[in-house]
Amino acid sequence: QIPSNKISNQDIIEMIKYHSTAQYKGEIGDLENWVRRFLSITGIKSRFWRDAKEEPIDLIRIASDRALKMAGLKGNQIDLVIYSSIDRGFVEPANASFVCKAIGLEKTRCFDIVDACMGWGSAVQTANAFLHSDSTINSIMIINAEFPMDPIGSVLPNNFTIHNFEELQWKSPSFTLGEGVSVCIFQNNDSSFCKFEFIENSECAELCTIALLNFQKYISKNVGEFIKPNIQFSSFGAELLKNGMDSAIEVLNHLLSQLNYVPQIIFPHSVSLKVIQDAALNINLTSTIYSTFPELGNLATASIPSSITKALLNNVIKEGDKGIGWIASAGMKFSAFEIQL
């Protein structure tokens, strides 16, 4: 479910000019041109944010009702809810507790998975394990709600307020963020067991963060310069790409080498259309790469579910088909896995 307020690249540029003109130590025209080129290179054309009247919990209700209807289920038939988003209102208790209360699943077991943009992939693997190991669990709902663009929050207004050119190293990924919610329901099917491949590299964990109060007690002293305080989102995009491209390619190659078929479609985490295309060229893929990034932007944990939904609605895929999820995430971590639709 996508909110209604369509934001163009020009809207992003105007917002940056509004917040930065009095602060930027340089020519504001040069900053505008840089941002315009950056957005063009990524491949983004638009993204959607909430308007003043839209609340995330209402959009979650709409999406969960639709998911239940598509699955032919009632709410009381859901045995487990996993909330696996980055965006949340609570560290304690699980954000899932409040979401379930709001959508009428108060008695359903629920918990959070926090794993940056890998959240949905880790939730899918967890759901897969539950469905094959616990006979009491037949239907699992995974909720991903990404609504980071609050008027005052981890992104706005700080990441749109540019003081100097160097800040673009870690603020520019914010310019492609979209908002939206996905709700997926996974059901028990003894004939299906999907393969998962993961690569972890926590050596680069500091390159993309949203740090809590007193985060310093959990880090090595030599990484503090990368991490911004006060719950501010920072993402060193160029460094992430430099340190992550090889592992992203490797993890997908690992999965593909184990399959006895050529996947029809691959759903990547939508961090940038150019990055996705460059990685696909390196692997020489023949599968269709399907992403909503150009029109919806970076939806973080909801990006793959949004692409699957679009592909289903456009009859690119159908129920029963298999696809491949492909994620590179902060942490840093990389995954490729089968999805039984």
Side-chain angles (χ1 to χ4, degrees), residues 174-236:
S174 299
F175 308 157
T176 66
L177 293 175
E179 293 192 319
V181 55
S182 71
V183 177
C184 305
I185 295 175
F186 289 80
Q187 295 180 272
N188 196 10
N189 182 348
D190 291 335
S191 66
S192 171
F193 192 90
C194 296
K195 294 181 175 67
F196 294 82
E197 286 289 330
F198 282 87
I199 294 176
E200 293 278 345
N201 180 17
S202 57
E203 181 182 0
C204 299
E206 69 273 11
L207 294 180
C208 186
T209 60
I210 301 174
L212 299 176
L213 185 67
N214 298 322
F215 69 89
Q216 294 89 346
K217 62 187 175 183
Y218 288 109
I219 65 170
S220 304
K221 292 181 180 179
N222 62 337
V223 304
E225 63 185 276
F226 287 94
I227 301 174
K228 310 304 173 185
N230 303 322
I231 320 182
Q232 185 166 4
F233 172 59
S234 68
S235 178
F236 289 81

Side-chain angles (χ1 to χ4, degrees), residues 288-324:
T288 299
I289 301 292
Y290 203 88
S291 171
T292 57
F293 179 81
E295 60 265 35
L296 302 183
N298 184 350
L299 291 178
T301 65
S303 61
I304 291 180
S306 76
S307 297
I308 293 172
T309 300
K310 181 181 177 182
L312 285 168
L313 292 174
N314 290 338
N315 297 314
V316 176
I317 53 174
K318 62 184 183 301
E319 185 178 347
D321 287 347
K322 275 189 176 181
I324 302 297

